[in-house]
Amino acid sequence: MSNIIATQTVHEKFGGVVPELASRAHMQNILPVVDQSLKQAAVSLTELDAIAYTQAPGLIGALLVGSQFAKSLALSLNKPLIAVHHMQAHVLANLIAEDRPSFPFLCLTVSGGHTQIVVCESPTKLTVIGETIDDAAGEAFDKSAKLLGLPYPGGPLIDKYAANGNPKRFSFTEPQIPGLDFSFSGLKTSILYFLKNAGESNVFKEAFLADEETCKLFIKNNLADICASIQARIVSILMNKLKKAAHETGIKQICLAGGVSANSGLRKAFTALGEKENWKTFIPAFEYCTDNAAMIAITAHYKFLEKDFVGMESSPSARAEW
Ligand code: KG4
Ligand code: ZN
């Protein structure tokens, strides 16, 4: 009924999210956002069935602001309180649209903090069958962008420049990780060496052959091709593991989720692979891919049906398994 997003631009100049500034911005934003969302939905607080909040994982300061606010609201309105796991919510964003996957489905969740392949047997029964052992896919995009001198978050900018580039021009290493897990830290190192050598070598030999000016000029003159090649490698790492997971589980209903699923190269490759493999594929609408309230609400809806409520002692957690 409404899905209001307050974007925090305060972090841009720091090249990443500053936790303390994030909590403060949350404090300032939460009342206006709640007000605006109620207005847009044209509902009053008393008409709500329950109050849901993001319990984990995330930056603890930001989570605390949301949880204290939600608890206060639930207590004062005498409504049930629902604690939602952020990663479950990313997966269930696929249940918002009319055209939904049937159960069981597989979901590749790719965000700034996580990269997971999840088997979803019901809205409340989810199992992680593969995940990153180091950086997340979004981090791989953002850290690569930082190496290119692009501002944070660089993922969308790599996407933008890649649109005019040749993805086959440069080749970056594909990590050999067994099973369904991912690794992106080696890719980052290979990009670092490649750039510092101004494209002369893509392997870990004589490091840093070029001076800073030469490197900068190389990046400037080849930005589109570098971005397209980085994007192509991140996408191929993701698609190879997803294909493997689909083969191993025999599941053909396949979803994408998380902020990185806004990436146009990934969306294209995912749809093409789905056609080739005879999958039925689903990608949430753009506004439900990056962090949003609607995905928390749809998860809360299913928890509400199961009366999965929490008490006032419920508290957020920076890290949490599910
Ligand atoms: O799910 P999300 O909004 O927040 C987290 O829970 O982390 O994901 C944010 C991540 C960031 O790393 C951002 O760079 C990446 O999603 N992202 C993209 C694109 N749009 C957002 N990465 C590549 N291409 C995009 N178009
Ligand atoms: Zn997220």
Side-chain angles (χ1 to χ4, degrees), residues 86 90 111-113 138 141-142 153 155-156 159 258-260 262-263 289-291:
H86 185 80
H90 268 305
S111 74
F141 271 108
D142 296 339
D159 192 359
V260 181
N263 182 268
C289 284
T290 45
D291 288 353

Side-chain angles (χ1 to χ4, degrees), residues 149-226:
L150 301 173
Y152 178 88
L157 291 169
I158 292 200
D159 192 359
K160 184 178 132 194
Y161 293 119
N164 301 315
N166 173 5
K168 296 209 168 100
R169 171 97 186 276
F170 306 111
S171 169
F172 299 107
T173 44
E174 171 145 15
Q176 303 301 316
I177 306 295
L180 297 174
D181 287 338
F182 301 91
S183 167
F184 288 101
S185 63
L187 174 66
K188 184 189 61 195
T189 313
S190 119
I191 293 167
L192 173 74
Y193 277 66
F194 167 81
L195 295 175
K196 295 254 181 180
N197 288 328
E200 272 181 50
S201 165
N202 189 20
V203 288
F204 290 36
K205 51 178 201 184
E206 312 287 323
F208 313 156
L209 297 172
D211 59 66
E212 210 179 315
E213 277 315 300
T214 313
C215 295
K216 277 195 181 147
L217 196 65
F218 168 73
I219 293 172
K220 190 168 163 235
N221 290 339
N222 298 282
L223 188 60
D225 287 349
I226 297 171

